[in-house]
Amino acid sequence: MKKITFLFVVILMAVVGETYAQGVVTGTVFDTESNAPLPGANIIEVGTSNGTSSDFDGKFSIKVESSTGTINVSYVGFGSKDIAYDVTNGNQDLGTISLGLDNSLEEIIVVGSGIIDLAEDRKTPVAVSTIKAREIQEKTGNFDLPEVLKSTPSVQNIKGGGFGDGSMYLRGFDQTNTAFLLNGQPINGMEDGKMYWSNWSGVLDVANAIQVQRGLGSSKLAISSVGGTVNIVTKTIDSKEGGFVQQMIGNDDYTKSTAYYSTGVNEKGWSFSALFGHWQGDGYVNYTHGQGQTYFLSVGYQPNENHSLNFLITGAPQWHAAPGRGKISEFLENGRKYNSWNFNNSSSKNNISGDVYPGGRNIYHKPVSNLSWDWTIGDNSSLSTVLYGSLGRGAFASTRTDKKTKEITYARGSYNNHNWYGLISNFNSKLTENLEFNLGADVRSYNGIHFRGVTEFIGVNSVDTKNTLLGEYSLTNSYGGISPWDMVFKPNTEHNQRFGYDYEEIITYYGAFGQLEYSNEALSAFFQGSISNQDHQVTDSFNYDKETKSEKVSNIGYNVKGGVAYKVYEGHKVFANVGHYSRQPFHDDLFDNIRESVDLIKPAVDNQTITGLEAGYQFKGDIISVNLNAYHTTWANRTILDNNGESQETIAYESYQTQGVKQVHQGIELEIMTRPLQNLRLDGFISLGDWVYDGNAKQRTFDGNGSQKGGEEEIKIDGFKVGGASQVTAGIGSRYTIVPRLVVDANWNWYNDLYSQGSLSKNPLALPSYNTVDTGLSYKVLVGKEDKNSIQFRFNLNNVFDEVYLESVFGNTQVSSDPKENYKGVNTSNNGRFGYGRTWNVSLRYNF
């Protein structure tokens, strides 16, 4: 009996010992985005408090408490993974464990994905740069989207001087000739192609990725972008529950508070997410204070695996004071923060810091909403549809002064409202294993409403006025004040409360597009085509004795493009693309002066023609990746509207309309991404451009009232350089992990071959080159149960060495013989703007 008992105890101890046998599990954690080790990742044995972290090489070793079980591998900002292990027969090496960003496109459910044209979906390469959510979050600070893009090839950011007044150039083309898409929805102004970043100040708070496609790009929509396409992809349906709260402060009393929460997708397929924010600040330039809000609401529903729907509404109501454009000599005398619109004698009831209307205030609210539906029809086909709309309401307000008493009487608003609706639908079908087909439609309807009205009565209770339609009448109501919310909910809809001008524009757009793409292991090729029609009509309610409509103008446009790529051998690929566009003129190009009449321009403005050629080479390796692109773009039959830089209310003011302009932009772009050390990322780029006008053009001149002065004349512009952006740019960016979750980064940008803007008929000025250095520091502290949450600190210091530089110059006055009248080879009588000096921002963010 004792022997049996002893044998039973031995067996029991062996079993128990086997159950609680300790073994060692090892592995290496990698970042899928950079294909590099991920130091500081958390490794937890599920069901226990037993854990460890990966080292600088991404390696980890954990002594587990059970012979079989699961470990969880996670890192803040990345999707976690559960991996089973078994050390029954000894230690186990799990090999490489790759984690992807949980805010990257791979980890986000993107509704309307068939509409959003991202280059990853195209096997045939294009010249492209992608900025992911982490970099957007860290480097945006208190600037606009163009600031985030400046460290990509052939992009230049112009800050502009006021909140939301920034702009960007892409391969020498300004924003009106670059297509901006928000989740596949076109957002350039339909009248003139312009972008006002003050209306989109909140988009970076909800952006998952921003992709810059230079040149022909991959967009299938019937849009004829000349410089390229910028795709902004925002949050829609988050796959997981979570959110953040963040507080930021910066130079010149800037402060911004933001909160975001997402429920993730519940068992019934529903998801909800919301973001709210508020910002305010004094502005870097004197008297450019402003404030605004951001809101974002998203509701998603996935009834089954074949259908996914999402409703989204977002907006960024704001007001900000505008900077005046002064002579270079005035800036040299008063400093870089000088504002030529410095009026400080307003007694406005909305007075803020003693100066509510320092020459001009931008007030605007543009709610945007869309309803997206993704339908997986079968194994080889799908349909994506987006229905969208926006209501723009706002004005540029400035004070008016009594000519006799010199006292301010009221604030006049130049209102620019719109109602915009559209539908985009794209059908995708995989015809064979190697052949894929897309077909879609793009329809838009736009109503622009333009007039002047009283924004606020200051020294009077009414304003007397008259027009041809209504005769003499009094303005007794003010609309909106400085509130962008009131602009939407208390709009000026009465013609007898408007003055100066009062007209509406109707623009309708409908187009179809298609793409056929073939690909195998080594070769890929595509062909795209689109055709569209635009209708334009103006209705005037001011200058005639009855409401008068213009002729209806219709223009057919089209674009075709194709390309081929070949994988020479593993990691090496070459490609070439070609495209031709027939692009309809902008609405504002079609009419003489729609403030004065509804007459069409004669001779008529015809379509512009754009032909693009590009070729490239791509190499992707473990330590280094290289993109090399060459491009040649010819833009012919262009119409340019500009002026002499004087105030429109001065006698000297003139504006010009030039037809038949031809530009040739060509260049080379080299981009190199490296990881020389496991905790160091080092990237660089250089862009060499040559952008000139080719041939001469015809020009007409108008005075401040829009009346033509003289006849049409030929202007000689052949060989003139295209101004506005640096034709040669370069940059180096670095990111160094000091210890896990403590990172320092820096960027150096250099700008050369920059030329002035101004009268097209005069040779532009060569401007001095300049360079800037920006740096930042990030640190994350893991908190909460199993370190699932984090507190993130971020510090940005821009223009570290306080470089003094001319950001832009408007004028053509050549260098003076008197050295005192020049600044770095530029005559100081020209109008210009200096770039910002040293600026900073600090943020604290809690991720949960």
Side-chain angles (χ1 to χ4, degrees):
M1 184 68 181
K2 290 182 179 180
K3 291 182 178 179
I4 295 174
T5 302
F6 176 77
L7 181 60
F8 177 79
V9 171
V10 170
I11 295 173
L12 180 62
M13 290 178 64
V15 172
V16 173
E18 181 68 21
T19 302
Y20 290 93
Q22 290 185 333
V24 177
V25 176
T26 59
T28 305
V29 185
F30 264 66
D31 176 352
T32 56
E33 180 186 18
S34 60
N35 194 32
L38 191 62
N42 298 299
I43 295 88
I44 301 290
E45 184 180 0
V46 176
T48 73
S49 59
N50 182 32
T52 187
S53 298
S54 58
D55 62 17
F56 277 113
D57 299 326
K59 298 182 181 297
F60 69 87
S61 176
I62 181 171
K63 184 178 290 187
V64 293
E65 298 177 357
S66 301
S67 58
T68 59
T70 303
I71 65 166
N72 175 267
V73 182
S74 66
Y75 189 87
V76 174
F78 287 73
S80 63
K81 283 188 177 181
D82 289 328
I83 303 172
Y85 68 84
D86 185 348
V87 292
T88 303
N89 299 317
N91 299 335
Q92 182 180 12
D93 184 0
L94 298 177
T96 298
I97 303 168
S98 297
L99 299 183
L101 288 170
D102 63 9
N103 52 11
S104 71
L105 295 176
E106 292 79 11
E107 296 294 330
I108 291 292
I109 303 169
V110 181
V111 182
S113 57
I115 301 299
I116 303 173
D117 293 302
L118 296 174
E120 289 88 359
D121 300 328
R122 165 75 67 74
K123 299 179 180 63
T124 305
V126 295
V128 63
S129 299
T130 302
I131 297 94
K132 292 291 182 71
R134 180 183 65 188
E135 187 174 353
I136 297 169
Q137 171 198 326
E138 290 179 346
K139 295 188 177 181
T140 302
N142 46 356
F143 292 118
D144 304 315
L145 182 141
E147 179 74 12
V148 183
L149 306 180
K150 71 179 184 180
S151 291
T152 59
S154 295
V155 171
Q156 182 164 4
N157 168 47
I158 305 296
K159 291 187 175 65
F163 288 112
D165 290 338
S167 63
M168 63 167 279
Y169 288 81
L170 183 55
R171 287 184 174 175
F173 301 105
D174 65 15
Q175 293 182 150
T176 64
N177 301 294
T178 297
F180 292 88
L181 304 175
L182 178 65
N183 292 339
Q185 169 188 336
I187 57 176
N188 294 75
M190 284 196 67
E191 298 173 14
D192 49 20
K194 291 182 179 179
M195 286 293 299
Y196 298 95
W197 292 111
S198 56
N199 301 335
W200 305 98
S201 61
V203 73
L204 296 180
D205 293 324
V206 292
N208 284 318
I210 300 170
Q211 188 174 86
V212 182
Q213 299 172 5
R214 300 181 294 277
L216 296 173
S218 69
S219 175
K220 298 184 287 290
L221 296 185
I223 52 174
S224 298
S225 57
V226 185
T229 304
V230 177
N231 284 282
I232 306 167
V233 181
T234 72
K235 297 176 181 294
T236 49
I237 302 174
D238 282 335
S239 58
K240 297 179 181 179
E241 181 184 11
F244 68 85
V245 290
Q246 177 174 294
Q247 179 62 49
M248 178 186 296
I249 59 173
N251 56 278
D252 300 291
D253 290 332
Y254 181 84
T255 179
K256 180 179 180 181
S257 305
T258 312
Y260 171 78
Y261 173 70
S262 173
T263 64
V265 182
N266 65 22
E267 295 179 354
K268 295 184 178 180
W270 287 95
S271 64
F272 302 88
S273 58
L275 178 142
F276 297 97
H278 175 86
W279 65 267
Q280 64 185 49
D282 290 342
Y284 179 81
V285 176
N286 293 335
Y287 307 105
T288 56
H289 43 274
Q291 72 173 34
Q293 294 81 42
T294 300
Y295 59 88
F296 168 87
L297 297 169
S298 177
V299 180
Y301 179 53
Q302 296 172 281
N304 53 55
E305 62 181 11
N306 294 327
H307 296 274
S308 184
L309 297 100
N310 187 80
F311 174 75
L312 179 153
I313 183 168
T314 185
Q318 59 80 39
W319 59 258
H320 70 274
R325 178 187 288 162
K327 297 183 184 299
I328 297 174
S329 58
E330 294 174 329
F331 281 95
L332 294 175
E333 181 180 349
N334 296 284
R336 281 177 288 182
K337 293 191 173 188
Y338 172 68
N339 187 346
S340 62
W341 285 348
N342 180 7
F343 305 119
N344 200 26
N345 58 347
S346 170
S347 58
S348 161
K349 65 183 179 182
N350 294 315
N351 194 25
I352 297 176
S353 301
D355 185 40
V356 69
Y357 298 107
R361 175 189 291 275
N362 178 296
I363 312 158
Y364 217 83
H365 188 180
K366 184 185 177 78
V368 177
S369 64
N370 66 54
L371 177 64
S372 304
W373 172 36
D374 279 344
W375 176 23
T376 302
I377 301 172
D379 293 338
N380 297 318
S381 60
S382 62
L383 179 70
S384 291
T385 303
V386 176
L387 176 67
Y388 63 88
S390 71
L391 301 176
R393 299 289 186 269
F396 184 84
S398 57
T399 53
R400 301 293 94 187
T401 304
D402 185 279
K403 293 181 179 180
K404 294 181 179 180
T405 65
K406 305 300 181 183
E407 293 182 354
I408 293 175
T409 55
Y410 67 97
R412 182 190 72 188
S414 299
Y415 289 78
N416 297 289
N417 301 343
H418 73 247
N419 306 307
W420 185 355
Y421 308 98
L423 174 72
I424 304 172
S425 188
N426 181 46
F427 172 76
N428 177 271
S429 178
K430 190 171 184 178
L431 303 178
T432 68
E433 184 179 350
N434 303 109
L435 192 62
E436 194 168 315
F437 174 67
N438 279 271
L439 182 65
D442 178 9
V443 180
R444 310 171 210 168
S445 175
Y446 178 91
N447 172 215
I449 307 160
H450 307 278
F451 59 91
R452 278 182 173 161
V454 175
T455 302
E456 178 187 355
F457 292 107
I458 299 174
V460 297
N461 295 319
S462 65
V463 174
D464 294 330
T465 187
K466 64 179 179 178
N467 67 41
T468 305
L469 179 64
L470 299 176
E472 296 183 356
Y473 57 101
S474 294
L475 306 174
T476 57
N477 296 333
S478 61
Y479 294 88
I482 64 168
S483 169
W485 293 94
D486 284 348
M487 292 286 182
V488 171
F489 296 108
K490 299 178 182 178
N492 183 338
T493 58
E494 301 169 335
H495 290 289
N496 63 4
Q497 292 299 310
R498 302 174 179 181
F499 71 111
Y501 53 87
D502 184 4
Y503 64 93
E504 294 190 23
E505 303 161 327
I506 299 293
I507 306 172
T508 56
Y509 178 104
Y510 34 97
F513 56 88
Q515 174 179 292
L516 191 65
E517 183 169 22
Y518 171 84
S519 63
N520 58 32
E521 186 175 345
L523 177 70
S524 62
F526 80 97
F527 174 80
Q528 283 182 13
S530 72
I531 186 169
S532 62
N533 182 79
Q534 289 186 10
D535 294 330
H536 303 262
Q537 193 166 32
V538 175
T539 300
D540 186 284
S541 301
F542 191 88
N543 295 301
Y544 302 88
D545 57 9
K546 63 179 180 179
E547 196 170 72
T548 303
K549 289 186 178 182
S550 72
E551 291 181 45
K552 190 175 184 178
V553 183
S554 296
N555 298 95
I556 297 288
Y558 66 88
N559 65 57
V560 290
K561 52 186 176 181
V564 62
Y566 181 70
K567 184 167 68 175
V568 182
Y569 49 90
E570 194 63 36
H572 298 263
K573 183 179 287 188
V574 294
F575 71 92
N577 299 324
V578 60
H580 180 76
Y581 298 162
S582 176
R583 170 181 168 176
Q584 297 101 325
F586 287 129
H587 182 89
D588 287 357
D589 296 338
L590 297 173
F591 298 89
D592 273 318
N593 189 311
I594 48 184
R595 292 187 178 187
E596 300 294 327
S597 70
V598 294
D599 294 334
L600 297 174
I601 284 176
K602 295 179 177 57
V605 177
D606 297 322
N607 283 11
Q608 305 166 14
T609 58
I610 301 105
T611 301
L613 302 169
E614 57 189 25
Y617 162 77
Q618 292 183 346
F619 168 71
K620 290 187 176 181
D622 295 334
I623 298 177
I624 185 171
S625 295
V626 177
N627 293 325
L628 177 64
N629 305 299
Y631 66 91
H632 185 285
T633 303
T634 302
W635 185 11
N637 203 35
R638 183 187 177 194
T639 296
I640 294 180
L641 306 175
D642 61 356
N643 59 67
N644 61 1
E646 296 285 342
S647 170
Q648 191 167 353
E649 299 184 4
T650 64
I651 298 177
Y653 177 83
E654 288 184 344
S655 62
Y656 315 103
Q657 181 199 69
T658 311
Q659 290 188 354
V661 178
K662 181 180 180 181
Q663 296 176 212
V664 176
H665 292 228
Q666 57 187 350
I668 298 174
E669 301 160 340
L670 176 64
E671 190 175 20
I672 302 176
M673 291 74 68
T674 70
R675 190 175 287 274
L677 302 173
Q678 291 177 347
N679 56 339
L680 173 65
R681 179 154 188 161
L682 190 63
D683 303 332
F685 73 89
I686 185 169
S687 305
L688 306 175
D690 181 24
W691 313 326
V692 298
Y693 293 102
D694 185 8
N696 298 322
K698 301 287 186 180
Q699 186 175 84
R700 298 192 302 162
T701 302
F702 300 85
D703 61 22
N705 294 319
S707 300
Q708 185 170 339
K709 300 172 64 174
E712 186 178 78
E713 62 175 330
E714 183 181 46
I715 58 170
K716 299 182 183 300
I717 59 174
D718 185 45
F720 284 7
K721 292 288 188 177
V722 175
S726 298
Q727 305 201 11
V728 175
T729 61
I732 298 174
S734 62
R735 182 180 178 87
Y736 181 72
T737 302
I738 302 172
V739 296
R741 299 182 297 281
L742 177 61
V743 179
V744 62
D745 55 76
N747 288 87
W748 169 79
N749 287 85
W750 176 63
Y751 304 92
N752 194 27
D753 283 1
L754 175 63
Y755 297 88
S756 69
Q757 295 175 291
S759 175
L760 194 62
S761 60
K762 299 179 181 179
N763 207 358
L765 309 175
L767 306 182
S769 62
Y770 66 92
N771 69 92
T772 60
V773 175
D774 304 329
T775 188
L777 178 71
S778 296
Y779 182 60
K780 287 183 180 180
V781 179
L782 305 181
V783 297
K785 186 178 180 180
E786 298 181 352
D787 291 337
K788 292 292 186 181
N789 304 336
S790 68
I791 297 175
Q792 181 177 348
F793 168 84
R794 175 69 185 181
F795 171 71
N796 288 309
L797 185 63
N798 301 303
N799 195 0
V800 174
F801 300 107
D802 205 25
E803 174 91 351
V804 179
Y805 62 94
L806 278 169
E807 185 177 59
S808 60
V809 169
F810 194 100
N812 306 81
T813 304
Q814 300 297 317
V815 64
S816 172
S817 59
D818 184 353
K820 296 180 180 178
E821 295 179 352
N822 301 319
Y823 172 77
K824 295 186 177 181
V826 180
N827 193 312
T828 59
S829 66
N830 290 289
N831 284 334
R833 178 165 300 286
F834 281 81
Y836 286 14
R838 188 182 296 116
T839 60
W840 60 272
N841 59 77
V842 179
S843 63
L844 194 64
R845 178 181 179 120
Y846 175 60
N847 301 293
F848 59 90

